[in-house]
């Protein structure tokens, strides 16, 4: 890995971005940054309430602002929200921050991990394998285009996924 390169994790809800980011941050002694948490702190409300009260477009604008603010960070692992790659300007921000690692999982794996999670507003109307598949299909090209490295997470432990990422940097 290039010396002191930031790591940016992207991927669909439930691929494990947060937990993997935490592990990598500990491994490298880097700062952990969660863009959803930055947005929640700034708005002082959970992501689900931001969606409910102001809508997705508003949330996306906040997300873009937070990503832009991260341009100069160092020694950090950045865990993004699942929709962060949907705006091209966001992808430019992510690439500027560091190496972009895409985590993937099948819709079945995702469903197992998040079916009872209430803080996933985009799936609250259709929390099913079909709903996940449909949204994932819509986003597949955007994820692939943004990624420097892709790691499949199905059936792997956090330790193994983190090791694979470290080895591929
Ligand atoms: C979103 C994913 C969420 C959060 C918001 C929108 C998405 O983050 O940013 O609910 O569009 O996929 P996680 O991927 O951490 O669940």
């Amino acid at each position: 890995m290039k010396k002191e390169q930031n790591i940016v994790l992207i991927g669909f809800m439930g691929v494990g971005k947060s937990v993997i980011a935490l592990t990598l941050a500990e491994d490298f002694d880097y700062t952990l940054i969660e863009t959803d948490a930055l947005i929640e702190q700034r708005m002082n409300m959970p992501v689900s309430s931001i969606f409910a009260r102001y809508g997705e477009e508003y949330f996306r604008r906040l997300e873009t602002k937070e990503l832009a603010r991260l341009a100069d960070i160092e020694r950090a692992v950045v865990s993004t929200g699942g929709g962060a790659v949907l705006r091209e300007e966001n992808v430019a921000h992510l690439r500027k921050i560091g190496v972009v690692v895409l985590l993937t999982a099948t819709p079945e794996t995702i469903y197992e991990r998040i079916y009872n999670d209430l803080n996933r507003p985009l799936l609250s109307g259709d929390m099913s394998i079909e709903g996940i598949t449909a949204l994932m299909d819509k986003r597949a090209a955007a994820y692939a285009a943004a990624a420097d490295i892709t790691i499949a997470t199905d059936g792997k432990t956090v330790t193994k996924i983190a090791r694979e990422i470290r080895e591929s940097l």
Side-chain angles (χ1 to χ4, degrees):
M1 137 169 171
K2 270 194 264 154
K3 205 166 152 257
E4 314 245 302
Q5 182 171 229
N6 298 314
I7 300 164
V8 179
L9 299 186
I10 63 167
F12 202 79
M13 290 167 269
V15 291
K17 296 176 298 263
S18 298
V19 63
I20 307 293
L22 176 62
T23 304
L24 290 172
E26 284 171 354
D27 289 350
F28 292 121
D29 195 20
Y30 274 14
T31 305
L32 171 64
I33 295 173
E34 290 259 2
T35 59
D36 279 355
L38 294 177
I39 295 167
E40 291 183 334
Q41 279 157 23
R42 210 167 285 279
M43 294 296 289
N44 197 24
M45 64 173 94
V47 166
S48 53
S49 303
I50 302 172
F51 268 73
R53 198 180 295 183
Y54 302 107
E56 180 172 352
E57 249 326 286
Y58 186 84
F59 174 83
R60 297 291 170 215
R61 283 204 291 277
L62 298 173
E63 192 170 45
T64 299
K65 273 193 202 158
E66 294 303 337
L67 291 173
R69 286 194 181 100
L70 296 177
D72 297 323
I73 53 163
E74 288 175 359
R75 297 177 58 83
V77 182
V78 179
S79 175
T80 61
V85 296
L86 299 178
R87 288 182 161 198
E88 264 180 43
E89 60 178 315
N90 290 2
V91 176
H93 290 313
L94 297 174
R95 294 187 152 283
K96 195 166 169 221
I97 294 168
V99 58
V100 180
V101 180
L102 169 64
L103 300 178
T104 67
T106 63
E108 289 76 10
T109 300
I110 305 260
Y111 180 78
E112 280 304 308
R113 290 179 186 162
I114 68 170
Y115 72 94
N116 57 3
D117 189 331
L118 298 176
N119 203 23
R120 297 283 183 359
L122 281 180
L123 289 169
S124 57
D126 192 2
M127 181 58 89
S128 64
I129 291 175
E130 293 71 29
I132 292 168
T133 306
L135 191 55
M136 203 185 263
D137 285 352
K138 260 204 246 169
R139 293 180 170 185
Y143 286 130
D148 294 310
I149 294 165
T150 302
I151 306 276
T153 66
D154 302 275
K156 294 177 189 166
T157 62
V158 170
T159 313
K160 181 162 172 26
I161 298 162
R163 191 184 334 124
E164 281 187 27
I165 294 173
R166 285 198 306 273
E167 285 169 0
S168 58
L169 289 172

